[in-house]
Amino acid sequence: MLIRHLNRYQQKFLFLLTITIIYVALVAWLDLLQGPYWWDEETFWQTSLTFSDRLLPNIDDLRDYNELSTPLPFIIFGALEYLFHQGIFAGRLLNLILSLSIIFIIGWPSKDKGGRAILCLVGLLMCPYYLWLSGRLYTEMIACFWVVMGLMGYVRNRYLLSCIAFILAIASRQYMLAFPAAIVTYEFIVAMTEVIQQRQISLAKQWKWLAPLIATLSIFGWFYMFQGLAPETGIAGRKTPEVQQTLWALTPGGAINFLSFIGLYIVIPELILFYRQGMLQTLKRQRRKTALITAGLSVYFLLFPPLSVAAGNVDKIVDLLPHDFLQIAFLYSLSWLACVRFCQPNLISFIVLFNSLIMFKAFPWDRYVLPLAVAFWYLKSTGLVDQFNIFQKQDMAT
């Protein structure tokens, strides 16, 4: 694209100009971050106020609050109110600052990234929920920020920092468990493969999977705190989906919905920005694998059809389609794109897999794809998204 032909200074100017225009317009549209509540903001703010009586919450505060997700964002919003007394504005401003931080991490055209970073930024902004939630009192932006910090620590071999960041991500939303769990699985397979090949164990290398394992296990601390999957007050006080009320309730069809979100918000933007010429050639070279994916996905569709009760833009598009066949074909096509794109045995495919498995326990709302989109475009901007192949392990340091 034309961006690639600009020199680095021109790319930086373009980046700063574009981001300034976008975020000034966003803040103006949100009435300088002081507009009325939007959807869950009112209940999120009321929950945050329960943490505003003191700077640090006590055990009872952590066990008894009226939400289903882990409490770190509400603790932070409550602490801001305790310190500054600016109402919902302070929490919205924090989310805006975190949003800008992620924008610079992914999109800044550094010497190593160049124009690729700006294209990745465009890809991220093609997910409408990123800007939509950037200046509102939602929990996603805090969770996304810690996911990016965890991935940055991981790719730069700062495993302790990565572990801490992922623990904080899980403390922001339980679903962030998928990211360290994927890294654990990937790195453990790599470690065991090296042990089999070399017939010796390097204890120093085991920290690559032990650190994310510690972060993954932190979820059990919250389960113990809640004496369940979420605070009892939150489960009782909200219209909690049945699948989230008990441990063993599962909805495998939710994975299909989630894969369709990935197809729409990640795969299609990537095709537009990076692979416009080579997609058909890639499919021709991998005909057998593509045929197996097509058959396997078809069987999964028959056994576990996508959930009909969903929320978000994808669900609205489905409702516009006049026939059941067209609705199924639409979801199948998007899911197929996601499966074909992420069929390689590498880290990003494990991340997609674990996020999809998490959706067995979640309501199919397409805004839940946002953390995965942020993680994908971060790895894409570093040039590492397709380089963590299990059988071709490469140095991760950037």
Side-chain angles (χ1 to χ4, degrees), residues 23 26 30 33 91-100 102-103 125 128-138 140-141 370:
Y23 275 80
L26 176 65
L30 296 174
L33 306 183
R92 288 171 167 175
L93 179 61
L94 172 65
N95 277 341
L96 189 76
I97 292 171
L98 294 178
S99 171
L100 275 168
I102 295 170
I103 287 289
L125 295 181
Y129 292 103
Y130 189 82
L131 289 177
W132 194 258
L133 300 177
S134 289
R136 291 188 167 91
L137 195 85
Y138 270 68
E140 272 84 357
M141 207 52 61
L370 179 58

Side-chain angles (χ1 to χ4, degrees), residues 31-76:
D31 297 324
L32 303 181
L33 306 183
Q34 299 189 45
Y37 298 125
W38 183 77
W39 280 44
D40 289 331
E41 274 195 305
E42 184 172 6
T43 57
F44 286 168
W45 177 239
Q46 294 303 317
T47 301
S48 301
L49 289 177
T50 66
F51 291 99
S52 66
D53 295 334
R54 57 182 69 88
L55 191 59
L56 295 175
N58 58 36
I59 296 298
D60 291 334
D61 293 332
L62 296 175
R63 286 177 174 167
D64 186 23
Y65 60 95
N66 191 29
E67 298 295 342
L68 298 176
S69 60
T70 38
L72 182 59
F74 310 115
I75 295 172
I76 295 174

Side-chain angles (χ1 to χ4, degrees), residues 21 25 75 138 158 165 172 215 278 352 356 386 391:
I21 293 172
I75 295 172
Y138 270 68
R158 303 292 188 266
S172 302
V352 168
S356 300
D386 291 312
F391 304 112

Side-chain angles (χ1 to χ4, degrees), residues 194-257:
E194 291 179 353
V195 168
I196 293 172
Q197 292 176 346
Q198 301 175 8
R199 298 186 179 181
Q200 61 181 5
I201 298 177
S202 172
L203 295 178
K205 290 185 178 181
Q206 306 316 306
W207 187 236
K208 292 182 179 181
W209 64 268
L210 285 172
L213 176 62
I214 293 170
T216 302
L217 294 177
S218 71
I219 190 68
F220 292 102
W222 292 110
F223 290 166
Y224 177 78
M225 178 80 69
F226 300 147
Q227 294 297 295
L229 299 178
E232 185 176 347
T233 306
I235 293 176
R238 283 181 162 271
K239 295 179 180 179
T240 307
E242 184 177 346
V243 70
Q244 294 178 335
Q245 296 181 24
T246 59
L247 179 61
W248 299 111
L250 299 173
T251 53
I256 294 294
N257 296 81

